[in-house]
Amino acid sequence: MSEHIRAVSPITGVQVEIMNDVSILVGGRAGDGINSAGLIVAHLLNHIGYRVYMYFDYPSLIKGGHNFALVRGSGSPVGAHRNRADFILALNQDSIDLHGDLIRDETTILFDSGRVDADGIPVPVSEILKELDAPAVMGNSCIIGAFARSAGIEWAVLESVFRQKIPKGLEKNLQVARRGYDAAHVTQKIEPIGRETFPILTGNEAIGIGLLHGGLDAFVAYPMTPTSNILHFLAESAVDLPLDVVHPENEIAVFLMALGFAYAGKKAAVCTSGGGFCLMTEGFSLAGMAELPIVVVMGQRTGPSTGVPTYTAQTDLHFMIHAGHGEFPRLVVAPGDAAQAFTWSSLALSMAWKYQVPAIILADKTLCEGSYSFEQRAPPDIGEADSRMDPGEYRRYALTDNGISPMLHPPAPGAVIKVNGYAHDEAGITTEDADTIRIMTDKRKQKSASLKAAVEDLGSVIVRGKADASTAILCWGSNLSVCTEVADSLGLRLIQPVVLWPFPVETFQKALSGVERLVLVEDSAYGQLSMLISGYGFPTDDLVLRYDGRPNSVEELVARIQEVLA
Amino acid sequence: MSEHIRAVSPITGVQVEIMNDVSILVGGRAGDGINSAGLIVAHLLNHIGYRVYMYFDYPSLIKGGHNFALVRGSGSPVGAHRNRADFILALNQDSIDLHGDLIRDETTILFDSGRVDADGIPVPVSEILKELDAPAVMGNSCIIGAFARSAGIEWAVLESVFRQKIPKGLEKNLQVARRGYDAAHVTQKIEPIGRETFPILTGNEAIGIGLLHGGLDAFVAYPMTPTSNILHFLAESAVDLPLDVVHPENEIAVFLMALGFAYAGKKAAVCTSGGGFCLMTEGFSLAGMAELPIVVVMGQRTGPSTGVPTYTAQTDLHFMIHAGHGEFPRLVVAPGDAAQAFTWSSLALSMAWKYQVPAIILADKTLCEGSYSFEQRAPPDIGEADSRMDPGEYRRYALTDNGISPMLHPPAPGAVIKVNGYAHDEAGITTEDADTIRIMTDKRKQKSASLKAAVEDLGSVIVRGKADASTAILCWGSNLSVCTEVADSLGLRLIQPVVLWPFPVETFQKALSGVERLVLVEDSAYGQLSMLISGYGFPTDDLVLRYDGRPNSVEELVARIQEVLA
Amino acid sequence: MTRSSLITDAQNTWCPGCGNFMILFALRNVLEALSEEGRSLDSVVLVSGIGCHAKIADYMNINSFYSIHGRTIPVATGIQLANPDLTVIACAGDGDAYAEGLDHLVFAAKRNVDITLLVHNNRVYGLTTGQYTPTSPLGFRGRSTPGGTIEEPFNPLELVLASGGTFIARESSLQMDSLQETIMEAIRHRGFSYVDILQICATYFNMTSYYRERMYRLKDHDESDFDQACDRMREWDYNGDAPIGLGIFYRREKDTFGGRLSGRKTVAVDRESAIRKILDERR
Amino acid sequence: MTRSSLITDAQNTWCPGCGNFMILFALRNVLEALSEEGRSLDSVVLVSGIGCHAKIADYMNINSFYSIHGRTIPVATGIQLANPDLTVIACAGDGDAYAEGLDHLVFAAKRNVDITLLVHNNRVYGLTTGQYTPTSPLGFRGRSTPGGTIEEPFNPLELVLASGGTFIARESSLQMDSLQETIMEAIRHRGFSYVDILQICATYFNMTSYYRERMYRLKDHDESDFDQACDRMREWDYNGDAPIGLGIFYRREKDTFGGRLSGRKTVAVDRESAIRKILDERR
Ligand SMILES: Cc1ncc(C[n+]2csc(CCOP(=O)(O)OP(=O)(O)O)c2C)c(N)n1
Ligand SMILES: Cc1ncc(C[n+]2csc(CCOP(=O)(O)OP(=O)(O)O)c2C)c(N)n1
Ligand code: SF4
Ligand code: SF4
Ligand SMILES: [Mg+2]
Ligand SMILES: [Mg+2]
């Protein structure tokens, strides 16, 4: 495309360009299938060699309102949207009226001429549907067809994408799309740049697949945005897999059932968001005391309370680190894109089991419901804990050097396996004895230390951008991609701790070496990561916070970073 | 008494003595009424002019086991037990066998000769009961009688205490006590030192009375050690008061009912411990978003999970500060003794209402179930928030300079009062608009700032001991008393932040002025307050942690402090 | 906000054809009627949970407490106990009242708390895009159960009856007039008034014709007869094929929890002297 | 820990005369009998909540999961679903199962989860020193209700029946032999087996003579007859004065939740190729 990011780095003075960069807005009402339409557009780009990213924006309602998808294609990996649209596919008037800031002179606007008034290429969607006797929901196939034509994407590409993605009513959809295709003309050609396709996954799907890869046996969940789709995805997938998916009466039941699975030797995970997580905290503390492995996928959204259910936030970091009464080891990882989501979900499950601790995959709406070109990276093999012990002598909480006790599951012939949320002795029997309480607390502390060491070993802090720059952007979770892009373009260092607890202090310190100015980018009002690292003596110089539920576009963030650095 | 604390301060070289100091152990089985017996002993001391403190130790069972009370009397205010007993009142063998470390040459041991084998003054309790045809439960009156005699407490004092404290079966109890009195002889006289008596209150009672003083209208709770007794106490007291006490089906109902009370204009509070609090966190976040005032009394006990229900801990500080998803203002106060419990419970309720925030009174088992001579100090009057607004124009979340909106309650003629856990506009209507979300988050942030300023104004950090010492003991909650005593005896400074959130950074900084070495004393395994202050750049030099569920005695703490300072 | 109209100008975001509109209008009409009778609407409070149904809190221009998923009932209970003069109406979803917060339903019935509970029972989680609820039929294919559920629904009327309910009714969003009448009766009833409203979800579970074919109004039914109530409630089990009775199944008078609670109060003494008394007892 | 005995050497801290002893012994005897029949006790798991009753997890020398207050049932459910070959026995208190975690009871019955639930119903919170529970009679003076409660108890048997329960029994800690027999039947029943055990709390609510005067065993009772079951259950409402029937009130066969869940499984494919397939579909 013609226009690229042209930012002059205030640090290096270098002007950076991102090549082969295209942005497309698809907008319509809830119920118009905007999410699927956006995904099809993403797949068109995927099939001509682009890495893609899609941000999907929708209010909390079922029909009506305004939904839009921002699809981005690029020659290199992407995970952020831009503040411009090269193409707009408008199925409602809001897609034009609410997005003036994205429109450039060269923007191609394709619009449903029956519903939308705009300058650009009109597509008579309803007429076409009527002529072909096609249902209203096929309207987006029509406009996609028009888009393909105007972007110079070959019909064959569209046809093959449709064949794969729209098996239901394929022929009719193709007819509709063809009519859209014919109604338009080439405006800006998106050049094919390769033939390799990548799977396009939402963060939610990447998490689900990562858990499956890690050996997930059971998934228990009560629906809650933005993680419900993990439940839906795994429920769909369960048919082919040795996987039980259960949707119980509420989150309390969810968590305790999952602990039941874990006790019986099945690797279990749950998903939720803040309000549901609150209801799990009592069980979370039980998992800590009883040393039961469990993984919680916790998708942040704008809070507090019900907040803004379908919008993003990064405001639960401290809650995750401290949730549950009493002190016990836990793991908190915050992947930043689909690739990390896969790797760290798999790892979180393995680590939860190896260290017999509860683990949290801390995601956010931007990650969960964003779609990414996915490149699979095999997670490192961390091995398993030793579980050998003479059954007759079995003690669930036997003391060991690393604090990890051999874990057996019933039926284990001859062994009596007692787990207990009270303070207990090695055998799992309740105790009130001062020495035993202290010794068992030390055991759990030792486990913390073992986990901490493992986390430092795993390379839990990512450094990107200009590695020797003395100004660094610090971020976590879904801010990874936009910050990476901005760091690259401004010649800054990028630092992202993927593991947030136990905090990888040494690795983080190394990542900081030579940094004189640290700028935190976070979707919160208080700067949660800054509060966390200040506890380890790491100051943050600038906070670039956003808390209106929307993620930053590349341009918005460039501007804000330039502002604080000016 | 003959022996006093004789510690030589490593800092000042000064030898400190505490005068008029007496320690008494009362021990027996659960069901023997050891708690009441200990309290009677405390009242005997109270009536001869002593300030008292009682630590009550009991396992989580109803009958049997071993209970004991450590009663301390002193010429000056006390709130900690010592590692010695001048008298032991033994109703079971464990009272001797398990407490060897408290016994000195001069210890007077009074024991039930039918059940206990010991050196000292035998009291034929069962024979006496049998002869007088008195029930078994009067056994402790008998041994108390013997104690009074051996401590040289006049019969008239005992009789007057019994008249006030044991109205039920008074005459029989007096007969039994008299026989015990006659069975003993004076061994060590506890000199009367005054005539003024103080109310003796548990921390729980002081909290309850403080809430009443602050204007409590409704108390809603589900029983949980160590705060159940607040429920019991207020349920007893409700008859005479404009107070509703409700015990619903679980903690979720508790919290949401209490929010219902608050919405309708009634000042409500709840009590619980860690596990129950977990269940309240979702409602807590709702209170934050909906700006509903509410007070939670949160009694810490040994965790995680069910842990050791009747033993103490200070391990929930960070959980309290961060509980609930999303970011919102809250108040966390941690009183250290009965006087502070009264003052700050009253204040917590007033501040919750003035700032329309949830407030936590963070107590612990040691404070909740310890008994203290109570000196009432009137809490400062913080005034109320402005609630004027034209009803016809009423907007529950109207924007103001300090972030506090006028709060009305239904029925308010002409006003429509809408509270909402979704992000909302000024009128309380749900919004997903980016600007409104941001503005309303800023409003709550402004309220945080107003609350923070008020907290700094209130003298929220206590300094005691040697005010100019460069070594300071830092503590919070129930560790206040033992640390004060140790600081006094070692010539150290004592610093106790009573408000823990919003953390009174400036006041704390002032309290620290001139401190070169800071020693944190805390009942936890990780040093929670140290983690908190390090986030503000205040380093802690030494951690004196205890996590076996038991509070430190004065001697134990002296030894541990001397050890770290050596 | 002034009450020139009983409907706010918040944008309504229910789907076209959603049964919630009927419930909204029915409630508005009932409140208008009450207002005409002279009851001040300043004393009415609407409490809702979270779900499509709950948006009614935004749409009704009266006092409201828009709470959290599943917790409609304890909030309503607290408000009622705090001020017995308020008329407290709780609107809950079936996910809300029958799954997330079921225990509160049982206890409201047990205690006979003087609130009115309207369950917008569309037998699906609407707002979270169509998962099964406790009243979805066996085999329901929702997004969490793509192969169909493997559990039978329960019958919420039977549950409330077993819990001690004193006013138990079923209505439908398809029958506006009767819905209004029953809501009015429910509000008038002193004690826990429970109306299960079979609400059409146009998007995820449109049972319009199913219901139309089976619905009938209870006739010659003695509301005070427990056994008759049982029988009628059991006729349709929310799963199989049977006539679906609408109307008031059961009604009886009983002390309310709030009434008993305030009945306990002796003449209130002043706070400070009560505190002084407590302290003196502990000297 | 080896199973030389079915009782651990943990110190027993129940009060003298506590009905929990009888339940402990009954359960031990049943397990011994099962073991003699050849069932391996390695496959038995005991789940408990928190309360006096729950200490049974410490005292029985078998696999156990000592969970948290009110959550006995979901833990037991998870274990059973994870491994259908396990025999899962859940011991709950009345505070546990009827107050804190009531919703789980209803859903276990609704789903017919294949576990056995023994409720140690002493009609009081024992471990927290004597507060009322949902089955305490009206006017019960506990520590949270010094003036007496103001709510009637509910009848848990009726609730479980209304929820879809397939095995509903009541026993007493005063009748050891029948208690044992019924526990045995409950364990043998495929599906959700629920036994409400009227347990004596020697310290806070000693109803020994009250029960002895009123208890009788169900006779000529058709366990498969729903209406008879209803009638018998309603005879005593946990409040008023009436004969108290003991025995199995209701029993029927029905698919279990676990059975239906595992029935769904197709032949399992290997994990990696399933993942590859999922990824390929998304290219
Ligand atoms: C604790 C919690 N869990 C989950 C959710 C997500 N959630 C919002 S609405 C809803 C279900 C709504 O179903 P229902 O109560 O039947 O209302 P409807 O939308 O059908 O009117 C859920 C699960 C939530 N808000 N809070
Ligand atoms: C979430 C939570 N709330 C409260 C408690 C305190 N608690 C412990 S046992 C118990 C009640 C026990 O009553 P019940 O279940 O009837 O058992 P019982 O002691 O009578 O056998 C309570 C309220 C707790 N452990 N956890
Ligand atoms: S999803 Fe169903 S219940 Fe929700 S608004 Fe749409 S039609 Fe109504
Ligand atoms: S309090 Fe009651 S239930 Fe608990 S052990 Fe004692 S007698 Fe048994
Ligand atoms: Mg619904
Ligand atoms: Mg009980």
Side-chain angles (χ1 to χ4, degrees), chain A residues 59-60 278 281 285 305-307 316 318 322 325-327 421-423 432 434 442 445 448 525-526 528 534-535 547-548 550, chain B residues 59-60 278 281 285 305-307 316 318 322 325-327 421-423 432 434 442 445 448 525-526 528 534-535 547-548 550:
Chain A
S60 184
C278 284
T281 50
S285 178
S305 198
T306 310
D316 296 332
H318 288 273
H322 299 292
H325 53 296
E327 299 172 319
Y422 272 102
E432 294 174 312
D442 283 330
K445 245 182 125 168
S448 265
Y526 289 83
Q528 301 223 343
S534 74
Y547 43 92
D548 63 359
R550 276 69 178 173
Chain B
S60 182
C278 284
T281 49
S285 178
S305 198
T306 311
D316 295 332
H318 288 274
H322 299 292
H325 53 297
E327 299 171 319
Y422 272 100
E432 294 174 313
D442 283 330
K445 247 181 123 169
S448 265
Y526 289 83
Q528 301 222 343
S534 74
Y547 44 91
D548 62 1
R550 276 69 179 174

Side-chain angles (χ1 to χ4, degrees), chain A residues 220-223 231-232 235 245-250 253-254 257, chain C residues 69 94-96 98-100 121-126 128-154 204-205, chain D residues 81 107 110-111 257 261 264:
Chain A
V220 194
Y222 189 84
L231 169 63
H232 305 156
V245 176
V246 186
H247 161 188
E249 59 272 27
N250 55 32
V254 163
M257 273 190 202
Chain C
H69 182 51
D94 48 330
D96 228 50
Y98 301 153
E100 184 71 76
N121 186 2
N122 54 4
R123 304 170 69 201
V124 73
Y125 291 176
T128 49
T129 69
Q131 300 84 1
Y132 84 107
T133 72
T135 50
S136 304
L138 180 68
F140 179 85
R141 288 171 194 271
R143 298 193 67 194
S144 60
T145 55
T149 61
I150 55 171
E151 44 181 314
E152 281 83 2
F154 59 51
Y204 295 112
F205 201 35
Chain D
L81 296 180
F107 281 90
K110 174 180 191 284
R111 296 188 187 119
F257 188 78
L261 188 69
R264 278 289 170 79

Side-chain angles (χ1 to χ4, degrees), chain D residues 51-53 92-96 119-127 131 133 135 199 201:
Chain D
C52 292
H53 67 277
D94 48 329
D96 229 50
V119 180
H120 301 219
N121 186 1
N122 54 5
R123 306 170 67 200
V124 72
Y125 290 176
L127 195 59
Q131 299 84 1
T133 72
T135 50
Q199 176 228 313
C201 172

